[in-house]
Amino acid sequence: MIYFDNAATSFPKPETVYESVFNVMKNYGANPGRSGHKLALKAGRGIYETREAISNLFNIKNPMDIIFTYNCTDSLNLGIKGLLIPGDHVITTSMEHNSVLRPLKALEKNGVETTIIKGDSKGRINPLEIENSIKKNTKMIITTHVSNLTGTIMPIREIGEIAKKHGIIYMVDGAQSAGVYDIDVEEMNIDLLAFPGHKGLLGPQGTGGLYIREGIELKELKEGGTGSSSDSLYQPDILPDKYESGTPNAPGIIGLGEGVRYILDRDIANIRRHEEELTRHFIEELLKIDGVKIYGPLDINEQGAVVPINIRDEDSSEISYILDEEYDICVRSGLHCAPLAHKTIGTFEQGVIRFSFGLFNTHEEIEQGIKAIKCISEDI
């Protein structure tokens, strides 16, 4: 089996991640932050060590400003719905995932105004259009870092400078970039960073996080037990407890820590270089095949390890099925929870077949993928 669906979930994970999750479940699977016995304390320390590792990766000053969630969607909802109130204006783009667009559309019913900046045919966004859309009541700018459809890398540093210049909160969706592309919340002026644990950070599913810059107040979306201030009937204000009600996913979070440490040890630049080489190899060979339509920048300086294609006018789901059944190649077809992005690049009706590469893919697998695409193209 060849796995080219890393934009959905990275697979496989480093062995240390599997070992860590199993170890927590078997040897100290107690409730962290609740009890005072040694098993609970060990689990609590493991969770804090993951906060520290993530802080090192993203240059976050205080590990307690990292809120653990269950996925990037959870993080985006907390950041968006926790900040925006009726009368606020928010700027986003047509290249966003539904995890950004659907919460914003839900808030529009309650009086939040949204401006959507349209990308070009390659999925690129012009930061000047964002700046020109700022109003007196603009409270947030939110953009993805890397498009989950085209792989287009957004100019988040420039957008962050614009947001800081105008005193606007900037939120970044790091679903496709965290763990592969450099993210420095200080240098890039990122106020809120949402990230999944199960993609580029190489952790288990059911993990994610939200960085909240000190001084930003979000309304919590749930209340409950935190293990702290148990004498009060009101939610504590301290971070991360304010936003982490309920028993945390200790095996997942501690396993995520192993994934992040693997990245830090291997060096994120080496991981990025490997994925860039795979992407370049794939694009160069695709361009030689008749009948293949490729979308996105087609330039590794502007594109992550995500390459969407179609074969002539064939249904994308049908091609995906053939790749799976006849060639044992796993890809993702359809609209990828990003309908506006598909409309932006002109693929809303057909969808695309998305190939997305990860750390453990090889050039030999790229060659097999190319061979499969060529055979399918010749047979149709």
Side-chain angles (χ1 to χ4, degrees):
M1 185 272 293
I2 298 176
Y3 187 81
F4 285 153
D5 196 20
N6 289 277
T9 290
S10 61
F11 178 81
K13 314 293 184 182
E15 284 299 319
T16 52
V17 172
Y18 298 127
E19 292 166 1
S20 175
V21 173
F22 180 78
N23 184 41
V24 176
M25 290 294 294
K26 183 179 180 181
N27 296 319
Y28 59 102
N31 203 323
R34 270 53 175 183
S35 304
H37 53 74
K38 55 182 174 290
L39 293 184
L41 293 175
K42 185 173 183 180
R45 282 195 299 272
I47 288 176
Y48 183 75
E49 288 169 358
T50 298
R51 291 190 208 276
E52 288 187 312
I54 293 171
S55 296
N56 290 336
L57 185 63
F58 298 142
N59 190 28
I60 294 170
K61 293 179 179 178
N62 183 359
M64 305 305 274
D65 290 338
I66 296 169
I67 311 304
F68 285 122
T69 63
Y70 294 103
N71 45 55
C72 196
T73 299
D74 201 16
S75 302
L76 289 164
N77 271 266
L78 175 56
I80 292 169
K81 294 179 179 177
L83 181 73
L84 298 172
I85 60 174
D88 287 340
H89 174 240
V90 57
I91 301 170
T92 189
T93 83
S94 68
M95 298 307 296
E96 305 307 311
H97 191 276
N98 273 344
S99 295
V100 170
L101 296 172
R102 284 180 174 175
L104 292 178
K105 285 297 177 181
L107 289 177
E108 282 184 354
K109 298 176 183 178
N110 297 323
V112 172
E113 182 186 0
T114 303
T115 296
I116 299 176
I117 305 300
K118 187 176 180 180
D120 66 14
S121 62
K122 304 290 186 182
R124 295 173 296 207
I125 297 295
N126 184 348
L128 291 178
E129 291 188 40
I130 290 178
E131 186 164 28
N132 291 337
S133 298
I134 293 173
K135 302 180 179 182
K136 289 182 179 179
N137 62 332
T138 303
K139 193 170 188 178
M140 171 189 276
I141 299 170
I142 177 168
T143 72
T144 188
H145 187 182
V146 173
S147 167
N148 77 307
L149 172 61
T150 59
T152 308
I153 302 170
M154 304 300 169
I156 64 170
R157 187 184 298 271
E158 297 169 59
I159 299 171
E161 290 172 355
I162 290 169
K164 184 177 182 180
K165 172 183 172 184
H166 293 274
I168 297 167
I169 291 173
Y170 183 36
M171 185 172 190
V172 171
D173 174 2
Q176 300 299 332
S177 60
V180 180
Y181 289 87
D182 293 322
I183 299 176
D184 186 317
V185 298
E186 295 298 324
E187 285 189 6
M188 295 176 171
N189 297 302
I190 298 171
D191 299 298
L192 299 168
L193 174 66
F195 56 90
H198 65 102
K199 298 188 183 185
L201 294 181
L202 306 176
Q205 294 174 340
T207 60
L210 176 67
Y211 159 69
I212 305 173
R213 185 181 295 281
E214 185 176 352
I216 294 177
E217 289 289 330
L218 301 180
K219 181 184 183 299
E220 63 272 20
L221 302 187
K222 60 182 177 182
E223 296 82 20
T226 58
S228 59
S229 303
S230 294
D231 58 319
S232 174
L233 297 179
Y234 297 94
Q235 193 75 359
D237 280 330
I238 58 172
L239 266 62
D241 296 21
K242 182 176 181 179
Y243 307 108
E244 287 188 356
S245 294
T247 298
N249 177 10
I253 293 170
I254 294 171
L256 169 59
E258 287 299 327
V260 175
R261 280 185 284 275
Y262 184 92
I263 293 165
L264 292 168
D265 290 343
R266 191 177 179 108
D267 192 330
I268 195 170
N270 292 328
I271 294 172
R272 182 171 61 252
R273 188 177 304 111
H274 175 68
E275 293 195 6
E276 287 174 346
E277 289 170 355
L278 293 176
T279 305
R280 181 193 290 113
H281 182 179
F282 189 64
I283 291 172
E284 287 178 351
E285 293 302 315
L286 279 179
L287 291 170
K288 302 174 184 177
I289 304 174
D290 290 336
V292 173
K293 298 183 284 188
I294 320 172
Y295 308 93
L298 307 187
D299 180 349
I300 61 165
N301 295 313
E302 299 182 64
Q303 183 169 353
V306 176
V307 183
I309 74 166
N310 274 311
I311 298 179
R312 298 185 177 85
D313 295 324
E314 296 297 318
D315 182 80
S316 60
S317 297
E318 179 64 24
I319 301 300
S320 174
Y321 177 79
I322 294 171
L323 285 167
D324 185 26
E325 288 297 309
E326 297 186 17
Y327 297 93
D328 213 9
I329 295 175
C330 302
V331 294
R332 168 91 184 269
S333 63
L335 295 181
H336 309 85
C337 301
L340 290 190
H342 276 276
K343 289 180 179 179
T344 299
I345 67 170
T347 56
F348 184 72
E349 298 299 328
Q350 188 178 8
V352 300
I353 308 115
R354 183 184 70 185
F355 290 75
S356 50
F357 313 121
L359 174 60
F360 296 108
N361 286 128
T362 66
H363 286 280
E364 289 74 22
E365 290 177 328
I366 295 292
E367 286 292 338
Q368 291 181 60
I370 290 294
K371 183 178 179 180
I373 294 168
K374 186 174 182 180
C375 289
I376 294 170
S377 179
E378 290 172 350
D379 290 342
I380 291 176

